[in-house]
Amino acid sequence: MRRLATPEDIDAVFALYMHEKVVRFLGYDPMPIEDFRAIYQALLDTLCFYVYEREGRIAGFYRATRYPGRIQHVAGLGTLAVDPAFHGQGVALAMVSEAIDALKTAGVKRIELFAESDNAPALRFYEKLGFEREGTLRKYYKRAGEDNYVDEYVMALLFD
Ligand SMILES: CC(C)(COP(=O)(O)OP(=O)(O)OC[C@H]1O[C@@H](n2cnc3c(N)ncnc32)[C@H](O)[C@@H]1OP(=O)(O)O)[C@@H](O)C(=O)NCCC(=O)NCCS
């Protein structure tokens, strides 16, 4: 079940974010917790960064941002991950299905996200949920210590 993240969740979120199987696919390179504090505060300040709990601990997180004005029917998903200890158990499916239901109830008609072209599990996952690939952001993403720039796919899920 999901709830808004709180300042007290920082250690659990940091541990999950920096996990070697996760950090490759999020927005920042590995860093010490002192540097992460400002990034975490910015996530809290969005008022739409959620943690998802299983068995009394944080099993995943995501941000679901509503946009303003003429794109207020659109929401962006991001900063999304599941603890590798829970991978392959349907946690992401449950977590994101709940997020989609909440956004639909709130009147959202389009959910969009960016996914790395070399992130096969995530691409398969989003496709399973019905997200379709709309385009490519070429050379959009670069990890410290790697020479190549990685393309990102724009993906979206639309409903009535
Ligand atoms: C992508 C991620 C969230 C999936 O989480 P998960 O809880 O393991 O996913 P689920 O168990 O709910 O799997 C649901 C579906 O996703 C797909 N999927 C998940 N992991 C997969 C893998 N390793 N390989 C291929 N498909 C995979 C499958 O279609 C799966 O359905 P199935 O089990 O019926 O085949 C997880 O791998 C993760 O946190 N990755 C690191 C962070 C990340 O990539 N975030 C997204 C950035 S865009």
Side-chain angles (χ1 to χ4, degrees), residues 89-156:
Q89 299 174 33
V91 171
L93 209 52
M95 177 173 85
V96 180
S97 299
E98 197 177 311
I100 292 171
D101 286 347
L103 290 169
K104 261 188 192 173
T105 303
V108 166
K109 306 287 183 209
R110 170 187 164 93
I111 302 174
E112 61 184 24
L113 58 86
F114 298 166
E116 307 75 32
S117 56
D118 62 0
N119 192 354
L123 295 171
R124 178 92 66 88
F125 167 65
Y126 293 128
E127 274 162 13
K128 179 162 182 155
L129 277 166
F131 283 82
E132 290 177 48
R133 213 182 282 181
E134 292 189 331
T136 305
L137 298 164
R138 293 174 298 163
K139 297 193 174 186
Y140 195 73
Y141 188 87
K142 185 177 179 306
R143 302 176 179 106
E146 294 182 10
D147 290 336
N148 60 313
Y149 288 81
V150 179
D151 291 349
E152 290 234 22
Y153 296 136
V154 179
M155 301 186 78

Side-chain angles (χ1 to χ4, degrees), residues 44-66:
L44 294 183
D45 290 345
T46 64
L47 302 179
C48 55
F49 180 61
Y50 294 89
V51 294
Y52 186 80
E53 293 181 316
R54 271 280 166 99
E55 299 159 19
R57 53 185 268 224
I58 292 176
F61 55 64
Y62 67 93
R63 179 182 45 73
T65 309
R66 291 292 304 267

Side-chain angles (χ1 to χ4, degrees), residues 16-48:
L16 205 171
Y17 196 114
M18 296 299 157
H19 191 289
E20 60 176 355
K21 289 188 178 157
V22 169
V23 72
R24 277 182 70 68
F25 302 112
L26 297 184
Y28 290 92
D29 288 315
M31 67 181 76
I33 192 155
E34 299 73 47
D35 296 349
F36 187 69
R37 289 189 197 285
I39 290 163
Y40 188 65
Q41 188 56 50
L43 280 170
L44 294 183
D45 290 345
T46 64
L47 302 179
C48 55

